[in-house]
Amino acid sequence: MTDLAEIERLVEVAMNEHQALLDLGTCMANLRAVQEAKAQLEEFDPATVRRVLAQRDATEVRCA
């Protein structure tokens, strides 16, 4: 790879910084939502949560 080609490739990667940061922010927000949901599920009866999860798994298998 020539220096010019490498410079062009690096410039392209560097220009994607803003989108990468937006994507990271979205991922972080999703992760926080998952963690919050898991914490809230701990407040419910474990048997009921397991039953709902099992029903959901069965539905997803049928739909797949």
Side-chain angles (χ1 to χ4, degrees), residues 4-20:
L4 182 58
E6 178 67 3
I7 291 168
E8 288 175 352
R9 184 188 72 78
L10 292 171
V11 166
E12 183 66 29
V13 171
M15 291 177 65
N16 290 325
E17 178 182 25
H18 179 72
Q19 186 59 48

Side-chain angles (χ1 to χ4, degrees), residues 14-56:
M15 291 177 65
N16 290 325
E17 178 182 25
H18 179 72
Q19 186 59 48
L21 290 172
L22 290 174
D23 293 346
L24 178 59
T26 300
C27 289
M28 295 291 290
N30 289 340
L31 179 58
R32 278 191 297 277
V34 166
Q35 291 171 332
E36 183 177 320
K38 286 182 174 184
Q40 290 178 359
L41 282 172
E42 290 179 5
E43 298 174 12
F44 292 95
D45 175 54
T48 303
V49 173
R50 283 191 299 273
R51 187 172 58 250
V52 170
L53 287 171
Q55 289 171 347
R56 185 176 190 117

